[in-house]
Amino acid sequence: DLLGSPLPPPVSAKAFLALPRPQPPLLVDGILHQGCRMLLAGPSKTNKTWALLDMALSVASGEPWWGRKTTNARVLYVNFELEEWSMQLRLQALISARPELAPGLDNLQLNNLRGYATDLALLRPSLENTIAGGDYGLIIIDPAYKLLGDRDENSNTDITSFMNEFERLSAQTKAAVVI
């Protein structure tokens, strides 16, 4: 747990440069590396879930997302928003509009948790167990607000704590986490 461990000591630039740090896979060209975090935000009803599903299928199939190259990776989509029938309709609509994404269906895992809204701190260990050994490159959690628990969305302290949970999830799983 990177956030709970002691801080590393300073190192000289020479020593730092002597130990190569390989760049993680770039899942979405120019936007998202594996192991990093991304937030897609916007007002209600602005097609954020459509965009995230399109990203999930694009990465799962290794096809471009919004004109950007992707690296094929296993994807876990944690759905707190849509009813299962609605998720099916959206996936079918995306495949119909972009048939090249169909091969990604085998590489995309869905965790339909509508009705299970909880605190991310309580859910994270369960997610880590689900993800363990799954070699996921990308985890998408939609929508993030369902995981606030008792946190106040207008409190910097509460949102910092909330975002730290996503940091822990990506550090523990080595996957990119998009909310």
Side-chain angles (χ1 to χ4, degrees), residues 1 24 27 35 37 50 60-61 68-69 88 91 97 101-102 106 111 113 117 122 129-130 136 145 153 162 165 168 171:
D1 186 3
L27 293 177
R37 281 126 337 265
W50 282 104
S61 63
R68 295 183 176 268
K69 292 178 186 176
Q88 282 185 340
L91 287 170
L101 299 181
D106 288 332
N111 199 354
L113 297 176
L122 300 174
N129 285 338
T130 297
Y136 290 97
Y145 77 86
E153 67 183 21
F162 184 60
E165 289 297 329
R168 286 182 182 99

Side-chain angles (χ1 to χ4, degrees), residues 148 150-164:
L148 282 171
D150 292 331
R151 293 179 181 92
D152 176 0
E153 67 183 21
N154 296 310
S155 163
N156 287 338
T157 301
D158 285 354
I159 294 304
T160 297
S161 163
F162 184 60
M163 296 308 291
N164 283 343

Side-chain angles (χ1 to χ4, degrees), residues 101-116:
L101 299 181
L105 291 171
D106 288 332
N107 218 18
L108 172 61
Q109 301 293 305
L110 302 173
N111 199 354
N112 291 302
L113 297 176
R114 183 180 166 98
Y116 293 92

Side-chain angles (χ1 to χ4, degrees), residues 12-92:
S12 73
K14 184 176 183 178
F16 178 77
L17 290 173
L19 293 172
R21 268 73 175 185
Q23 185 181 65
L26 189 58
L27 293 177
V28 180
D29 190 40
I31 296 178
L32 183 64
H33 283 89
Q34 190 168 324
C36 294
R37 281 126 337 265
M38 178 177 150
L39 171 68
L40 179 66
S44 180
K45 306 299 179 205
T46 55
N47 299 312
K48 295 179 298 294
T49 297
W50 282 104
L52 292 173
L53 283 171
D54 190 36
M55 175 190 272
L57 279 168
S58 295
V59 170
S61 63
E63 292 291 331
W65 181 65
W66 294 9
R68 295 183 176 268
K69 292 178 186 176
T70 66
T71 298
N72 183 280
R74 192 161 186 226
V75 178
L76 175 65
Y77 194 103
V78 184
N79 167 37
F80 285 99
E81 183 88 321
L82 300 176
E83 297 280 354
E84 290 185 11
W85 62 266
S86 183
M87 176 63 84
Q88 282 185 340
L89 288 176
R90 288 192 185 199
L91 287 170
Q92 289 167 347

